[in-house]
Amino acid sequence: MKKLFGILFVAGLVAGTAVAEDDVKARTAPVGSTCMSGDECAAAPAPAAAAGPKSGKDVFGSFCTTCHSAGLMGAPKYGTAADWAPRVAKGKETLYTHALGGFNSMPPKGMCAACTDDEIKGAVDYMIEGSK
Ligand code: HEC
């Protein structure tokens, strides 16, 4: 019985720590994110859209994933090394060129017209890295 209490005590401590961490996260959330409509702070101007270039992961998640997660129309699947190895063998520059300018059913810039060339290249790198 003593042992059981010990386990419960430890479990309680672990749960307590998790709660405390959540608490800290909530308190350290960026200003503005906790505003509710109706609050005074909600009237404050929204923070400027995320500054700086989008990460390869973000571009992938917003655009490339549509085709590259399911392998639509023969798109090399993210996470599938067998799909990517022959592509990577062509050289990264070729893949960048095809991602930017299009290649068969691969649309130019993966349909992210607003993406910069570097952002598209970042998404290519992200897919290659995640598909080894
Ligand atoms: C509408 C579907 C679609 C979207 C969206 C899409 N792709 Fe593709 N992608 C394809 C298809 C299909 C292929 C295979 C083309 C082929 O080999 O004939 C491909 C191939 C590629 C290749 C390999 C090219 C080569 O030379 O082998 C790269 C790199 C690539 N896509 C990058 C991207 C990136 C980066 C994005 C997002 C910014 C993206 N794609 C979004 C359909 C898509």
Side-chain angles (χ1 to χ4, degrees):
M1 204 52 183
K2 223 176 173 184
K3 201 171 179 190
L4 179 64
F5 277 123
I7 292 168
L8 286 177
F9 180 68
V10 171
L13 273 185
V14 172
T17 313
V19 169
E21 267 173 22
D22 280 355
D23 222 34
V24 171
K25 270 187 208 146
R27 272 186 279 127
T28 54
V31 183
S33 64
T34 49
C35 274
M36 307 289 270
S37 63
D39 282 1
E40 247 177 70
C41 58
K54 291 188 280 291
S55 71
K57 186 179 179 189
D58 285 351
V59 173
F60 172 81
S62 308
F63 296 93
C64 325
T65 186
T66 317
C67 299
H68 285 274
S69 285
L72 232 63
M73 296 178 292
K77 271 197 231 175
Y78 175 76
T80 304
D83 282 6
W84 279 98
R87 313 260 176 188
V88 173
K90 294 193 284 188
K92 252 192 193 179
E93 285 306 320
T94 303
L95 299 186
Y96 289 155
T97 307
H98 287 167
L100 291 168
F103 180 59
N104 300 324
S105 309
M106 164 69 204
K109 284 191 162 185
M111 303 206 288
C112 179
C115 286
T116 64
D117 287 6
D118 280 345
E119 286 167 347
I120 296 295
K121 288 179 185 176
V124 173
D125 290 341
Y126 176 79
M127 281 202 274
I128 293 172
E129 278 307 312
S131 311
K132 282 182 174 168

